PDB file of all heavy atoms in Angstrom:
ATOM      1  N   GLU A 544      20.128  11.936  14.317  1.00  0.00           N
ATOM      2  CA  GLU A 544      21.288  12.680  14.797  1.00  0.00           C
ATOM      3  C   GLU A 544      22.430  11.694  14.999  1.00  0.00           C
ATOM      4  O   GLU A 544      22.354  10.816  15.852  1.00  0.00           O
ATOM      5  CB  GLU A 544      20.956  13.418  16.100  1.00  0.00           C
ATOM      6  CG  GLU A 544      19.860  14.450  15.929  1.00  0.00           C
ATOM      7  CD  GLU A 544      19.471  15.133  17.223  1.00  0.00           C
ATOM      8  OE1 GLU A 544      20.154  14.925  18.255  1.00  0.00           O
ATOM      9  OE2 GLU A 544      18.464  15.873  17.213  1.00  0.00           O
ATOM     10  N   ARG A 545      23.468  11.846  14.175  1.00  0.00           N
ATOM     11  CA  ARG A 545      24.638  10.958  14.259  1.00  0.00           C
ATOM     12  C   ARG A 545      25.742  11.719  14.988  1.00  0.00           C
ATOM     13  O   ARG A 545      26.366  12.613  14.454  1.00  0.00           O
ATOM     14  CB  ARG A 545      25.085  10.573  12.850  1.00  0.00           C
ATOM     15  CG  ARG A 545      25.895   9.275  12.744  1.00  0.00           C
ATOM     16  CD  ARG A 545      27.259   9.344  13.364  1.00  0.00           C
ATOM     17  NE  ARG A 545      28.072   8.178  12.994  1.00  0.00           N
ATOM     18  CZ  ARG A 545      29.277   7.940  13.456  1.00  0.00           C
ATOM     19  NH1 ARG A 545      29.840   8.778  14.315  1.00  0.00           N
ATOM     20  NH2 ARG A 545      29.944   6.875  13.066  1.00  0.00           N
ATOM     21  N   ASP A 546      25.942  11.368  16.247  1.00  0.00           N
ATOM     22  CA  ASP A 546      26.960  12.009  17.067  1.00  0.00           C
ATOM     23  C   ASP A 546      28.271  11.235  16.949  1.00  0.00           C
ATOM     24  O   ASP A 546      28.302  10.110  16.423  1.00  0.00           O
ATOM     25  CB  ASP A 546      26.492  12.037  18.535  1.00  0.00           C
ATOM     26  CG  ASP A 546      27.349  12.941  19.395  1.00  0.00           C
ATOM     27  OD1 ASP A 546      27.105  14.169  19.391  1.00  0.00           O
ATOM     28  OD2 ASP A 546      28.272  12.426  20.061  1.00  0.00           O
ATOM     29  N   PHE A 547      29.337  11.818  17.455  1.00  0.00           N
ATOM     30  CA  PHE A 547      30.623  11.131  17.495  1.00  0.00           C
ATOM     31  C   PHE A 547      30.513   9.849  18.328  1.00  0.00           C
ATOM     32  O   PHE A 547      31.185   8.858  18.054  1.00  0.00           O
ATOM     33  CB  PHE A 547      31.687  12.063  18.074  1.00  0.00           C
ATOM     34  CG  PHE A 547      33.089  11.584  17.858  1.00  0.00           C
ATOM     35  CD1 PHE A 547      33.744  11.830  16.667  1.00  0.00           C
ATOM     36  CD2 PHE A 547      33.751  10.878  18.849  1.00  0.00           C
ATOM     37  CE1 PHE A 547      35.041  11.371  16.460  1.00  0.00           C
ATOM     38  CE2 PHE A 547      35.039  10.419  18.659  1.00  0.00           C
ATOM     39  CZ  PHE A 547      35.690  10.662  17.457  1.00  0.00           C
ATOM     40  N   TYR A 548      29.615   9.873  19.347  1.00  0.00           N
ATOM     41  CA  TYR A 548      29.423   8.719  20.220  1.00  0.00           C
ATOM     42  C   TYR A 548      28.080   8.053  19.931  1.00  0.00           C
ATOM     43  O   TYR A 548      27.062   8.728  19.738  1.00  0.00           O
ATOM     44  CB  TYR A 548      29.483   9.134  21.687  1.00  0.00           C
ATOM     45  CG  TYR A 548      30.803   9.738  22.068  1.00  0.00           C
ATOM     46  CD1 TYR A 548      30.937  11.119  22.196  1.00  0.00           C
ATOM     47  CD2 TYR A 548      31.921   8.932  22.276  1.00  0.00           C
ATOM     48  CE1 TYR A 548      32.163  11.681  22.528  1.00  0.00           C
ATOM     49  CE2 TYR A 548      33.152   9.491  22.610  1.00  0.00           C
ATOM     50  CZ  TYR A 548      33.262  10.866  22.734  1.00  0.00           C
ATOM     51  OH  TYR A 548      34.468  11.413  23.054  1.00  0.00           O
ATOM     52  N   LEU A 549      28.074   6.728  19.945  1.00  0.00           N
ATOM     53  CA  LEU A 549      26.859   5.961  19.645  1.00  0.00           C
ATOM     54  C   LEU A 549      25.729   6.300  20.608  1.00  0.00           C
ATOM     55  O   LEU A 549      24.580   6.486  20.202  1.00  0.00           O
ATOM     56  CB  LEU A 549      27.177   4.461  19.688  1.00  0.00           C
ATOM     57  CG  LEU A 549      26.046   3.516  19.306  1.00  0.00           C
ATOM     58  CD1 LEU A 549      26.609   2.339  18.510  1.00  0.00           C
ATOM     59  CD2 LEU A 549      25.340   2.980  20.543  1.00  0.00           C
ATOM     60  N   ASP A 550      26.038   6.391  21.910  1.00  0.00           N
ATOM     61  CA  ASP A 550      24.978   6.587  22.907  1.00  0.00           C
ATOM     62  C   ASP A 550      24.411   8.016  22.912  1.00  0.00           C
ATOM     63  O   ASP A 550      23.462   8.305  23.641  1.00  0.00           O
ATOM     64  CB  ASP A 550      25.433   6.183  24.308  1.00  0.00           C
ATOM     65  CG  ASP A 550      26.598   7.024  24.825  1.00  0.00           C
ATOM     66  OD1 ASP A 550      27.156   7.835  24.054  1.00  0.00           O
ATOM     67  OD2 ASP A 550      26.945   6.867  26.005  1.00  0.00           O
ATOM     68  N   GLN A 551      24.974   8.906  22.102  1.00  0.00           N
ATOM     69  CA  GLN A 551      24.426  10.252  21.980  1.00  0.00           C
ATOM     70  C   GLN A 551      23.772  10.468  20.613  1.00  0.00           C
ATOM     71  O   GLN A 551      23.455  11.593  20.240  1.00  0.00           O
ATOM     72  CB  GLN A 551      25.529  11.291  22.220  1.00  0.00           C
ATOM     73  CG  GLN A 551      26.045  11.262  23.652  1.00  0.00           C
ATOM     74  CD  GLN A 551      27.169  12.266  23.893  1.00  0.00           C
ATOM     75  OE1 GLN A 551      27.411  13.159  23.103  1.00  0.00           O
ATOM     76  NE2 GLN A 551      27.848  12.103  25.020  1.00  0.00           N
ATOM     77  N   SER A 552      23.563   9.376  19.899  1.00  0.00           N
ATOM     78  CA  SER A 552      22.918   9.428  18.583  1.00  0.00           C
ATOM     79  C   SER A 552      21.489   8.940  18.710  1.00  0.00           C
ATOM     80  O   SER A 552      21.134   8.244  19.661  1.00  0.00           O
ATOM     81  CB  SER A 552      23.685   8.551  17.594  1.00  0.00           C
ATOM     82  OG  SER A 552      25.028   8.986  17.479  1.00  0.00           O
ATOM     83  N   LEU A 553      20.648   9.323  17.741  1.00  0.00           N
ATOM     84  CA  LEU A 553      19.248   8.885  17.779  1.00  0.00           C
ATOM     85  C   LEU A 553      18.648   8.883  16.380  1.00  0.00           C
ATOM     86  O   LEU A 553      19.115   9.568  15.479  1.00  0.00           O
ATOM     87  CB  LEU A 553      18.417   9.772  18.712  1.00  0.00           C
ATOM     88  CG  LEU A 553      18.271  11.258  18.381  1.00  0.00           C
ATOM     89  CD1 LEU A 553      17.138  11.516  17.404  1.00  0.00           C
ATOM     90  CD2 LEU A 553      18.010  12.051  19.645  1.00  0.00           C
ATOM     91  N   ALA A 554      17.584   8.094  16.252  1.00  0.00           N
ATOM     92  CA  ALA A 554      16.791   8.051  15.012  1.00  0.00           C
ATOM     93  C   ALA A 554      15.352   7.806  15.431  1.00  0.00           C
ATOM     94  O   ALA A 554      15.008   6.715  15.896  1.00  0.00           O
ATOM     95  CB  ALA A 554      17.288   6.943  14.086  1.00  0.00           C
ATOM     96  N   VAL A 555      14.487   8.818  15.311  1.00  0.00           N
ATOM     97  CA  VAL A 555      13.109   8.724  15.792  1.00  0.00           C
ATOM     98  C   VAL A 555      12.140   9.342  14.792  1.00  0.00           C
ATOM     99  O   VAL A 555      12.507  10.215  14.005  1.00  0.00           O
ATOM    100  CB  VAL A 555      12.920   9.429  17.160  1.00  0.00           C
ATOM    101  CG1 VAL A 555      13.746   8.769  18.237  1.00  0.00           C
ATOM    102  CG2 VAL A 555      13.249  10.913  17.060  1.00  0.00           C
ATOM    103  N   THR A 556      10.899   8.873  14.855  1.00  0.00           N
ATOM    104  CA  THR A 556       9.799   9.553  14.177  1.00  0.00           C
ATOM    105  C   THR A 556       8.793   9.957  15.236  1.00  0.00           C
ATOM    106  O   THR A 556       8.550   9.227  16.198  1.00  0.00           O
ATOM    107  CB  THR A 556       9.078   8.669  13.132  1.00  0.00           C
ATOM    108  OG1 THR A 556       8.684   7.451  13.748  1.00  0.00           O
ATOM    109  CG2 THR A 556       9.960   8.398  11.950  1.00  0.00           C
TER     110      THR A 556
END
Side-chain angles (χ1 to χ4, degrees):
E544 298 177 8
R545 203 292 191 184
D546 192 82
F547 194 83
Y548 299 102
L549 184 142
D550 63 353
Q551 294 178 14
S552 301
L553 62 85
V555 297
T556 53

